[in-house]
Amino acid sequence: MCHVSVGHIARAFEKAGIATVVIAIQAFCTTLEAMSLPRLVTTPHLLGRPLGLPHDEKRQLYILNEALNLIDTAGEGGTILEISKA
């Protein structure tokens, strides 16, 4: 249920005027979509590793940069960016 808690916290931050991006694994996408989050990034990684494998700094930075860019580029609420394996 951790992914649901993150969704509630993100909505509370947004209500307070703080922009958020939730990064989650694709397995939780259906539940998080139903929560109507403003911005969501999904990755194909394993549970507990939404940014990828430990010590894979290149991949982790790529995902973080994509998530931060989503704050600037998301034109409407409910924007979902799906990051693939490559």
Side-chain angles (χ1 to χ4, degrees), residues 7-80:
H8 291 307
I9 292 168
R11 285 197 321 223
F13 274 53
E14 290 280 341
K15 188 174 181 180
I18 301 168
T20 63
V21 177
V22 172
I23 303 172
I25 63 170
Q26 290 169 348
F28 297 138
C29 192
T30 304
T31 303
L32 292 170
E33 281 179 11
M35 295 185 76
S36 301
L37 300 173
R39 287 165 292 281
L40 172 63
V41 173
T42 63
T43 66
H45 302 298
L46 300 173
L47 179 64
R49 296 182 175 171
L51 297 179
L53 295 174
H55 311 293
D56 188 354
E57 292 93 2
K58 184 177 178 183
R59 179 69 173 176
Q60 294 165 0
L61 285 173
Y62 171 75
I63 293 169
L64 286 173
N65 282 324
E66 290 294 307
L68 292 172
N69 287 335
L70 193 59
I71 290 175
D72 292 330
T73 60
E76 59 186 49
T79 301
I80 299 172

